[in-house]
Structure formats: structure tokens, C-alpha cells
Amino acid sequence: MGFFDPLGFAEKADEATLKRYREAEVTHGRVSMLAVIGFLVGEKVEGSSFLFDASISGPAISHPGQVPAGYSAIIIAAIGFAELQRAKTGFVDPSETSFDNPGELNADYYPGDIGFDPLGLKPDDAEELDIMITKELQNGRLAMLAAAGFLAQEAVDGKGILEHFSS
């Protein structure tokens, strides 16, 4: 099939820059996959969840503002901890790199491989791993588009995504 780069981002990029692009793409794809699940599940369990006395309602884009302040701090701390662990795993310590090379990845780090595989799903075979990585990238790209579409749709008409299917 060849190398798909219609906007020419890779033309002037070296290998280290391409690795950073891939790290960003994998990370954003994973967050988007979680966001899409969050949109659908959050709206489906509305009013029946044990969390926050089932008081969170409406379109998913309004849910973060309805979470009590104390819980928001816990969520932000958990996200910060996860990001810190990812940074320690994949990135060179800023004190050990030059100022003109921010965000340098460790030489032995593969973008997205943070060593978290509690279910043992990562294949040992290199060919199977490449297939799984490709699937993750493709699903992540689709999820980025889906999450953007969900956000836009809810912002435009103020209705939840699942409400569109029932009307």
C-alpha cells in the first residue's frame, strides 16, 4: 500500500520526530477510544448509576461540570499520575537533553509501549504485534473522528448522542 502522508508531515521529519508523532497519535487514539466509550456508557446509565447519587444527567459534554469539586481533584490527580508514569517510561529526563530537543523519547522506547498489559494481550510474535499495533492505530483514528463528531453534535443541538437514535 505504501506510506500514506498526504500533507507531507514526514517529508522533513527525522526518525526521532516521527517517533514523537507516533507517540502522540497512539496516545490521542487511546484517549479518544475511552472518550467514545464514556460518551455512550455515560449517557446510557444516566439516572441509574450508583455514582454521585445518579444526579449527573444530560448530554455527555455537560457531565464533567456536574461532577462534585472534590471528585474532580481526584480525577485530575489520577490523570496526572498516569501521565507522569508514561513520561518516565518513554521520555528522556528534561535535565539530560538539550534545550533544542524537547520531548525526546528514550532510544529503546517504542511509541505507546508503556509496559502496561495486565491481561497479557500483547503478542510475542513480531508479525502479530505489528498487526495488533496497526489495528490499534486504525481504531484510534476512527475514535478521534467519532469523539470529535460526538462533541460537535452535542454542542450544536444540546441532545445526547443516544437521544438521536431514539427519536
Side-chain angles (χ1 to χ4, degrees):
M1 179 171 166
F3 192 70
F4 181 73
D5 184 25
L7 299 178
F9 288 121
E11 288 176 7
K12 299 175 188 165
D14 59 2
E15 185 176 344
T17 302
L18 288 176
K19 278 179 71 173
R20 282 198 310 270
Y21 289 166
R22 178 55 54 94
E23 175 70 15
E25 183 178 23
V26 169
T27 302
H28 286 89
R30 289 174 178 170
V31 169
S32 296
M33 286 187 271
L34 290 172
V36 168
I37 291 170
F39 264 95
L40 300 174
V41 171
E43 290 180 7
K44 183 66 178 169
V45 300
E46 181 178 297
S48 63
S49 173
F50 64 92
L51 295 171
F52 313 118
D53 295 326
S55 63
I56 296 178
S57 62
I61 60 172
S62 68
H63 290 181
Q66 297 177 49
V67 175
Y71 291 102
S72 294
I74 293 169
I75 293 168
I76 290 169
I79 292 170
F81 176 77
E83 282 297 300
L84 179 63
Q85 295 308 310
R86 185 177 72 90
K88 286 181 177 180
T89 302
F91 292 86
V92 174
D93 188 313
S95 66
E96 298 173 8
T97 188
S98 63
F99 72 92
D100 61 341
N101 196 13
E104 181 180 357
L105 294 173
N106 289 321
D108 61 343
Y109 176 70
Y110 186 85
D113 187 8
I114 56 175
F116 182 75
D117 186 21
L119 299 177
L121 299 175
K122 181 179 177 183
D124 294 327
D125 181 51
E127 188 175 322
E128 289 179 28
L129 180 61
D130 284 342
I131 291 169
M132 182 176 265
I133 289 169
T134 301
K135 288 178 180 178
E136 181 184 22
L137 282 171
Q138 291 173 341
N139 286 319
R141 291 169 181 161
L142 178 62
M144 285 186 256
L145 293 172
F150 286 1
L151 286 165
Q153 185 65 46
E154 288 192 359
V156 167
D157 65 10
K159 292 171 53 177
I161 296 303
L162 297 178
E163 287 181 65
H164 290 95
F165 295 118
S166 62
S167 59

